[in-house]
Amino acid sequence: MRPATPEDAPQICALLNAVDLVEVGRAETDLGSVETDLVHPEADLGRNSWLAFRGGRLVSYGLLWDDSGAERIDADHYVLPGHQDAGERLLAAIEGRAAERAGENGAARAVVHLTLNSRSTLDRTRLTARGWRTVRRYHVLTRPLTPEADPAPVPPPGLTLRSCEAEADRRRAHALVEETFAAHHDHQPRGYRQFLDDLGAGMDWSLAWIAALDGAGDVAVVLTRDDREAMAWVRNLGVRASARGKGVGGHLLRHACAVYAARGRDTIGLGVDTENATGALGLYTSHGFGLHYAADTWEVTLPVLSPRAALPPTPA
C-alpha cells in the first residue's frame, strides 16, 4: 500500500472502470473526474489516499475527505473482486485516518460515510463485521434523449432562464445550491472557492442555468455537465421552497434534456436521495427517468485516535 499521486490517475481510472463493469455492466468513469479528485486543493493525498497493489497490479483504491471540519468524514473505496483482503486492509487504513482527522477537528468521535453500489465489489459482510451499517439509499437515474422527443420547452408564465458564464451568476448559483440543498441528507456547507474546486476544471458554465420568476427573483438553479463519456449529467437541481409546486423544477429539467438532445447526447443521468422530502424522485420519474443502479451510504461511528494510533500497519 502507498498513497496516490496525481500521476496515478490513469491506472486509478482503469481500476474504477473495471469495478464499473462488474457493478453496472459498463465502464462509466472518466479520467477527468479522477484527476479532479487527485488535484483538489484539500486532497492531502499523502495522508488521505491509499493504493493497494498485488504483483504490481492496482487492486484497491481509497480516498478520504473532510468537508465538515467536525465529526463527519467521507470516503471512497474501490476493490477488484477476488482481492477482499487488500480491500479490507485499505478499509482499516481509512477508518484509522478518519478517526485521526475527526480528532484533529476537535470532535469527540468520527462519523464516517462511505457510498457504495448496492452490488458493490466490496464484500459487505466485511463492512457489517467492522460495525458499518446502511443509513441511506440513492438512485442513479437515466433517461434517453432524442431531438424529436425533447424539443425546447415553453417556460411557465413569468419564468426566464440565464446561463452562468458571468462571475456574478456563478456566485448566485453557489448561493442557490447552498440554500436549496441545506436540509438534504449528507449536504455539507461549502464556500464559493470550495464549490469551484469541487466542480473542477471541466465545468462548462454555459450549461448551468438560473431560473428567475417575475416578482420573486432568482428561484432555482441547475448545474449540468457534458464532460462524461457515458452520458450528460445533472449535478444539482434546486428550487427555493417558496417556488416549489409551480413547474420551475420540471421546466429546468426539460430545458436541460432539450439542450443535450440538441448537442447529440443520447442519455442524461442524475443521482437522487430516495428519501428526499422535496419530491425530487417523483419529479424525475414523471419526466421519464428510470433506475440505472442503486447505491447505499454506509456509516460507522468511531472513537477519535491519536496520530500514532491511526497509522496503518506496515505492509509485509
Side-chain angles (χ1 to χ4, degrees):
M1 283 172 56
R2 66 166 173 84
T5 70
E7 290 71 31
D8 293 312
Q11 63 178 331
I12 294 172
C13 186
L15 169 68
L16 270 55
N17 277 317
V19 170
D20 286 346
L21 285 171
V22 176
E23 295 181 344
V24 301
R26 66 174 186 171
E28 293 191 350
T29 302
D30 293 289
L31 181 60
S33 63
V34 176
E35 291 173 335
T36 296
D37 287 342
L38 295 178
V39 302
H40 195 289
E42 299 173 19
D44 193 3
L45 297 180
R47 296 198 295 169
N48 296 334
S49 69
W50 299 266
L51 301 178
F53 295 87
R54 174 161 282 131
R57 180 192 184 193
L58 180 62
V59 298
S60 189
Y61 164 62
L63 183 68
L64 178 146
W65 70 97
D66 169 21
D67 287 347
S68 75
E71 66 177 25
R72 176 48 202 294
I73 308 294
D74 291 276
D76 286 332
H77 182 290
Y78 304 88
V79 63
L80 292 178
H83 296 277
Q84 296 300 318
D85 56 339
E88 187 160 11
R89 283 187 61 184
L90 193 146
L91 184 64
I94 288 174
E95 291 172 357
R97 174 59 185 144
E100 178 189 15
R101 181 61 187 165
E104 293 169 353
N105 290 341
R109 62 178 188 169
V111 179
V112 193
H113 280 192
L114 174 66
T115 298
L116 298 171
N117 189 293
S118 62
R119 299 172 58 189
S120 171
T121 55
L122 175 61
D123 181 358
R124 287 168 289 178
T125 64
R126 295 184 181 239
L127 281 168
T128 56
R130 300 182 69 88
W132 292 78
R133 63 187 181 94
T134 56
V135 295
R136 208 74 168 193
R137 171 152 286 198
Y138 292 84
H139 283 172
V140 172
L141 307 178
T142 58
R143 179 189 184 282
L145 300 173
T146 66
E148 296 76 20
D150 297 293
V154 176
L159 187 73
T160 57
L161 303 185
R162 67 182 188 276
S163 58
C164 295
E165 290 99 328
E167 173 75 9
D169 286 325
R170 297 181 193 189
R171 290 185 177 275
R172 186 62 180 141
H174 165 250
L176 286 165
V177 167
E178 287 299 313
E179 178 184 345
T180 58
F181 281 82
H184 285 212
H185 180 71
D186 268 356
H187 178 73
Q188 297 294 324
R190 301 288 279 166
Y192 179 62
R193 177 47 56 186
Q194 293 173 313
F195 170 72
L196 296 181
D197 290 337
D198 293 346
L199 292 172
M203 183 66 187
D204 181 349
W205 288 98
S206 71
L207 299 173
W209 299 279
I210 292 171
L213 198 59
D214 285 351
D218 297 335
V219 295
V221 63
V222 60
L223 307 182
T224 74
R225 304 191 70 113
D226 198 21
D227 55 353
R228 295 187 175 198
E229 184 175 345
M231 65 189 75
W233 187 255
V234 179
R235 187 184 192 275
N236 297 98
L237 195 165
V239 181
R240 299 180 74 184
S242 60
R244 291 172 189 159
K246 299 180 180 180
V248 177
H251 178 72
L252 281 172
L253 198 57
R254 291 189 298 274
H255 175 77
C257 289
V259 168
Y260 281 107
R263 291 169 70 94
R265 284 294 204 167
D266 62 7
T267 307
I268 190 167
L270 52 82
V272 61
D273 176 3
T274 60
E275 298 179 40
N276 185 305
T278 67
L281 181 59
L283 171 69
Y284 300 140
T285 56
S286 70
H287 281 77
F289 283 79
L291 181 64
H292 183 35
Y293 63 85
D296 295 312
T297 296
W298 291 76
E299 179 181 284
V300 68
T301 301
L302 304 169
V304 298
L305 296 177
S306 68
R308 177 174 292 275
L311 292 174
T314 301

